[in-house]
Amino acid sequence: AAPPWQVLSAGPQSPPAGPLRTSTPSTPPPPAPDAEPPPANPFQPVHSLSARLEALRDRCRGLLGPQFDDVHAVIEAQYDGRGPSDARAALQGIVGPRRLHECFAVEQLVFLEKGLQGLAGPASGFVGV
């Protein structure tokens, strides 16, 4: 038997027997019997807003720990227009200046919560952390 590099360079070879396949099949293969049916609307979200809210709330609690409730209360009060005049300073007093960026996730959470309640609109008092 010849080494593989000699077989490949041996020159022209005869075409394979049978018809050549030049395109893909026109119909897709049938789904597996236990496969989930596709959604009726392909643009329908897979997760509900309430499930996303719960995941974001868990993430915020993981970031802030016991300070979450205080941060949430300040941002929610600010959103409702009844918060402190300097919410940024209030949040820095709770979490410190190095962790202030972690409050942004709570701001997103409050915005989504208010949107779920049908109250989303222009927020005059957002902190903008």
Side-chain angles (χ1 to χ4, degrees):
W5 60 86
Q6 288 178 350
V7 172
L8 293 176
S9 63
Q13 297 180 1
S14 60
L20 291 177
R21 177 179 249 181
T22 58
S23 65
T24 57
S26 59
T27 57
D34 59 343
E36 235 180 74
N41 178 357
F43 298 104
Q44 180 179 2
V46 177
H47 302 290
S48 67
L49 181 58
S50 58
R52 289 175 54 197
L53 271 172
E54 201 56 43
L56 182 55
R57 180 179 294 278
D58 291 344
R59 181 174 153 232
C60 291
R61 283 192 188 280
L63 280 171
L64 296 168
Q67 297 166 328
F68 167 77
D69 291 323
D70 294 335
V71 169
H72 187 275
V74 167
I75 293 176
E76 187 173 34
Q78 190 71 17
Y79 186 94
D80 292 338
R82 54 181 175 75
S85 60
D86 190 2
R88 185 180 188 95
L91 292 173
Q92 281 182 349
I94 297 170
V95 297
R98 291 182 179 253
R99 294 183 57 211
L100 187 61
H101 66 279
E102 294 173 359
C103 298
F104 180 69
V106 180
E107 190 170 343
Q108 290 177 331
L109 175 66
V110 170
F111 177 79
L112 289 173
E113 288 172 342
K114 296 297 182 178
L116 188 62
Q117 294 171 3
L119 300 176
S124 59
F126 253 78
V127 179
V129 178

